[in-house]
Amino acid sequence: MSTSVSAADRSGTPEQPPVEHPGAPAAGAPRPPVRPGRRLSGGDLLRRWAVVLLWVAMAAAFALANPDLFLREGTFNIIFGANGQLVFLCMAVLAPFCVGEFDFSVAGVMGMTGVTVTVMYAQQGWSLPAAVAFALALGALAGALNGFIVVVLGVDPIITTLGVATALQGVALWISGMSTVTGLPVSFGRVVTDRVLGMPLFFWYGLALTLAFAYVLHVTPLGRHMAFVGANREVARLAGIRVNRMRFGAFTFAGTVAGLAGVLLAANIGGFDPTSSGIQLLPALAATFLGTAILFPGRFNPLGTWIAVFFLATGIVGLQLLGLTGWISDVFFGGSLVVAVTVSTLLRRRRSRF
């Protein structure tokens, strides 16, 4: 018979179970591996900045091939000043990706809110603040609808969001009378067209959103929880993270940001064409996947996505200035999406090995 006595038996005080703090992994749950810190090698730095170096080389090639057109201030403004809505759409696409979901309805949400704010103000006589608030509420509601169908009902996100996108485009065509709607005041347009340091405010709004989203993802507990959910949903649930709340919130955020993109784009051009929003989805997807090869290889990240937007814009504008118009945008964005998804898959596969 063993004669060993525990510390609790010697003291006469019953041994207490360990106290678990809220949010701590449950007992017996697997914990994420702790990777020892290491200095970045030259190969790591090259992988992080390869697309940026390619961007510089591409811009230099276009400048040498057609300096009279490519080196103009107007070309610079087209590349950096005419893609504000694409930055917003990319951030909307990025949020569900970070938690392992898909949302292909963001372009449809943008189109619906852009048409709605114009129709409510110019045709229905609403005040501008009321029309803007209503359009943004519709965007958030569309995102929440996606979240409910996918998270609560368990329907496939690709089918759900593609269906919602198609339905929203139909709604936009209905309320616009299947024609371009105009009539927003010029003063509202100045909210996005006024320039600061030579760039329109739309550009700075996109940069501010990108930096804020990057801070949330890389610094805050919310961002770490989102990454945990995206990496392994079941392990995250065992760790005490409210997985479904994260997924639902990502869809709602996507709808809200896409709705804001529609309102700002309508202000930028004074109205909206309900048939124009669908073409924005492919560039947004291409930039989001290409962003996984920049700065943080294998990870969806806002800063890499922001750089990818202007990398793609430089390629399109440069090729168009060389005389390749019309078909080149479809070829370039389609090819970029295939390459970006391939690179993203390989990088994520390589990252999972270490």
Side-chain angles (χ1 to χ4, degrees):
M1 183 174 64
S2 173
T3 58
S4 61
V5 181
S6 68
D9 292 332
R10 289 194 300 268
S11 64
T13 304
E15 187 172 357
Q16 298 295 324
V19 178
E20 294 188 2
H21 298 282
R31 297 174 180 268
V34 178
R35 300 176 183 175
R38 62 182 180 87
R39 298 183 63 180
L40 294 177
S41 65
D44 291 330
L45 291 174
L46 181 60
R47 278 189 292 273
R48 288 172 181 262
W49 295 98
V51 175
V52 177
L53 295 176
L54 181 59
W55 183 18
V56 173
M58 180 173 62
F62 288 141
L64 291 173
N66 197 346
D68 293 337
L69 292 178
F70 189 80
L71 295 180
R72 288 183 176 181
E73 181 182 355
T75 302
F76 180 87
N77 288 332
I78 291 174
I79 293 173
F80 291 95
N83 291 284
Q85 76 281 357
L86 186 55
V87 173
F88 276 75
L89 281 187
C90 286
M91 298 304 120
V93 168
L94 187 63
F97 277 163
C98 288
V99 295
E101 298 291 354
F102 296 89
D103 189 349
F104 296 150
S105 70
V106 292
V109 174
M110 182 183 74
M112 181 194 64
T113 57
V115 169
T116 298
V117 68
T118 308
V119 168
M120 291 299 104
Y121 175 81
Q123 298 181 10
Q124 300 299 320
W126 289 27
S127 68
L128 188 58
V132 169
F134 181 64
L136 293 178
L138 287 180
L141 183 61
L145 176 63
N146 284 329
F148 176 78
I149 296 174
V150 173
V151 177
V152 178
L153 301 183
V155 182
D156 181 81
I158 296 178
I159 301 300
T160 297
T161 56
L162 285 176
V164 168
T166 304
L168 293 179
Q169 185 173 8
V171 171
L173 289 170
W174 169 52
I175 65 176
S176 66
M178 301 186 68
S179 62
T180 300
V181 289
T182 59
L184 290 175
V186 175
S187 58
F188 186 40
R190 295 196 185 102
V191 172
V192 291
T193 59
D194 281 353
R195 292 183 173 269
V196 175
L197 300 177
M199 298 301 297
L201 286 172
F202 210 168
F203 169 84
W204 297 111
Y205 295 155
L207 179 59
L209 175 63
T210 301
L211 293 176
F213 196 10
Y215 176 83
V216 170
L217 286 181
H218 297 294
V219 178
T220 67
L222 174 61
R224 291 191 289 272
H225 288 174
M226 291 178 67
F228 207 169
V229 172
N232 194 314
R233 192 176 298 171
E234 292 306 316
V235 173
R237 184 176 286 109
L238 290 173
I241 297 174
R242 297 184 176 181
V243 172
N244 286 346
R245 179 176 293 185
M246 290 284 173
R247 297 165 63 205
F248 188 91
F251 280 113
T252 305
F253 175 82
T256 303
V257 172
L260 181 58
V263 171
L264 293 177
L265 183 57
N268 189 42
I269 60 180
F272 210 92
D273 178 0
T275 64
S276 65
S277 59
I279 61 175
Q280 299 282 342
L281 179 61
L282 186 62
L285 291 174
T288 304
F289 278 103
L290 184 59
T292 63
I294 306 172
L295 300 182
F296 302 95
R299 293 174 58 186
F300 291 107
N301 68 93
L303 294 176
T305 300
W306 186 85
I307 293 173
V309 167
F310 300 108
F311 171 88
L312 295 174
T314 302
I316 288 293
V317 172
L319 291 172
Q320 289 176 340
L321 292 178
L322 292 177
L324 303 175
T325 59
W327 55 270
I328 191 60
S329 59
D330 292 335
V331 173
F332 190 82
F333 281 130
S336 297
L337 178 59
V338 173
V339 172
V341 171
T342 302
V343 171
S344 174
T345 301
L346 294 176
L347 287 173
R348 290 171 71 87
R349 189 179 298 164
R350 180 182 183 276
R351 184 167 171 259
S352 65
R353 295 196 189 109
F354 299 96

